[in-house]
Amino acid sequence: MARAIRLVCLRCAQPLASALLVLLVAAPAAAHTVGKGLATITVTGQNVQYNLVLALNAAAPPGSDAMQLAQPGPGADYAPLLRAVASRIRVVADAQPCDASPGSITPPSQDGGSVALQLEFACGHNPKDLTIRDDLFDVLGPGYHTIANIQWPGGSEQFVFLPGAREARVSVAEGVTTRGIGSFFLLGIEHILTGYDHLLFLLALALRGGNLWSLLKIITAFTVAHSITLALAALNIVALPERLVEATIALSIAYVAAENLFTRHAVSHRWAVAFIFGLMHGFGFSNVLRELGLPKQGLVWALLNFNLGVEAGQAIAVLIAVPLLMWLRRFRWEPRAVAAISVAVLVVGLTLFVDRAFLGGA
């Protein structure tokens, strides 16, 4: 019976590896396609000003109405996009809906890739408790999220609107709060689990990671490294060009995959490789927070929760992958499977590197 199972697994290995290769080669098209908007929400007296900078690649996939809302080019009509956004943002002050203005939109410049939308809500009184609801996911797709900085006289709060966290509730009668920072934890989880490049790097590291102790050292080194640079970059202590960061992350994937194929003793120093490249992955993680321009106090809490979310997402990925890799090592054809997967990861890493380093991809 055991022999029959091994024969079946051996016959399945090649088509499984081929299928994985197809999926991984397709991954660059999906990597970094999660759209985002950066919102500044300002409460002044009875009015709430909502300013949203929306990347044009935040549009939903082809076939949806949203794809037609923001097509750059001569004579482009952005009014449908403005109407779609205005219809999906709600502001409620002390249980009373605020009236929205028609709003305005600033088209992108010739070199720009984003539009700026301005909405104003009249609440009729100075609000004490404010509820802001964001349903843009219904237009821009479930991968979209809005990173918001909510400001009022004497205070501010940061919040990430996600499909599972569509409402922000703030007490504008108070000073600076951190209640909404917990949403950055969810953003951290989403960022690592939808970041195909980070997951591929972890997979490549673990493929020849050795025993459980070696794997633990690898994951710990990666965690410590990216936590250091995430903090340094998010606090604006160290800044590197985004193109350099993204290209190096892609190169890290290709390097580890090549090491799996051509270096016999990769395991002995794999934790050091994880640490060195983990430093650059931390800069990649930080781009999400730096773009918002959070105030220092809010940034520290956002940074902590975002990093905890990244670690939680990373733990989920590792808990899924490691048992499968341990199971794979029971079979004699495991080296061939590792080689096939490493080739696929190498192709993806090199493709991403060329795209980001020479073609301007991100």
Side-chain angles (χ1 to χ4, degrees), residues 218-230 275 278-279 307 311 314:
I218 291 169
I219 299 303
T220 302
F222 180 68
T223 297
V224 171
H226 75 64
S227 296
I228 292 172
T229 47
L230 171 59
F275 183 86
L279 293 172
N307 196 44
E311 301 315 321
Q314 181 177 290

Side-chain angles (χ1 to χ4, degrees), residues 42-49 120-127:
T42 307
V43 183
T44 306
Q46 300 180 7
N47 298 322
V48 177
Q49 187 78 31
E120 189 162 330
F121 297 84
C123 299
H125 65 282
N126 292 351

Side-chain angles (χ1 to χ4, degrees), residues 3 7-8 13 23 38 67 71 77 88 90-91 95 103 128 131 145 177 189 230-231 251 262 266 273 350 358:
R3 179 180 175 83
L7 287 173
V8 170
L23 290 173
L38 303 177
M67 197 62 182
Q71 291 294 334
D77 182 12
R88 287 165 176 84
R90 295 285 182 270
V91 176
K128 294 183 179 179
T131 300
H145 58 262
T177 69
I189 294 177
L230 171 59
L251 190 61
F262 304 115
V273 173
L350 291 176
F358 304 108

Side-chain angles (χ1 to χ4, degrees), residues 296-310:
K296 274 292 178 70
Q297 181 171 351
L299 180 56
V300 171
W301 284 101
L303 174 63
L304 175 62
N305 280 270
F306 181 78
N307 196 44
L308 289 174
V310 168

